[in-house]
Amino acid sequence: MRFLTAREQVVVFTSKVGGTHSVGDAVKVRYDPNDPHRARLDSLWDRVWGVIVAVALLLGALGGTFAGGRLFVRAAAGSPPGRD
């Protein structure tokens, strides 16, 4: 695949996503302006996967915060950890 960046730099890359695109077809491309060679086709699956990863990270952070808060409250109250 080949595309032109906003800075008018021509970038050539290989897509890992299969499809039925032909030479000359217009497709949407996602890329980092600071590293345009790490480009990929913009697809629904990419966007869904990004949301799944973000939600998983958020839930992990909230779980860690909750567990840490419980430990802190128990330590402040003088209870040994591991007892409910």
Side-chain angles (χ1 to χ4, degrees), residues 1-83:
M1 305 251 164
R2 182 175 66 191
F3 70 97
L4 186 65
T5 68
R7 296 178 186 158
E8 297 191 10
Q9 176 186 8
V10 175
V11 176
V12 178
F13 74 102
T14 302
S15 174
K16 296 175 183 162
V17 177
T20 57
H21 305 294
S22 299
V23 174
D25 285 352
V27 294
K28 291 184 179 182
V29 176
R30 298 178 74 184
Y31 69 95
D32 178 356
N34 296 319
D35 189 8
H37 293 282
R38 294 186 59 199
R40 62 183 187 260
L41 292 180
D42 187 18
S43 69
L44 178 61
W45 175 246
D46 259 354
R47 291 175 183 264
V48 169
W49 184 245
V51 170
I52 290 170
V53 169
V55 168
L57 290 173
L58 176 64
L59 291 175
L62 289 174
T65 301
F66 178 73
R70 283 184 52 143
L71 288 173
F72 178 77
V73 168
R74 286 184 180 187
S79 300
R83 288 192 156 170

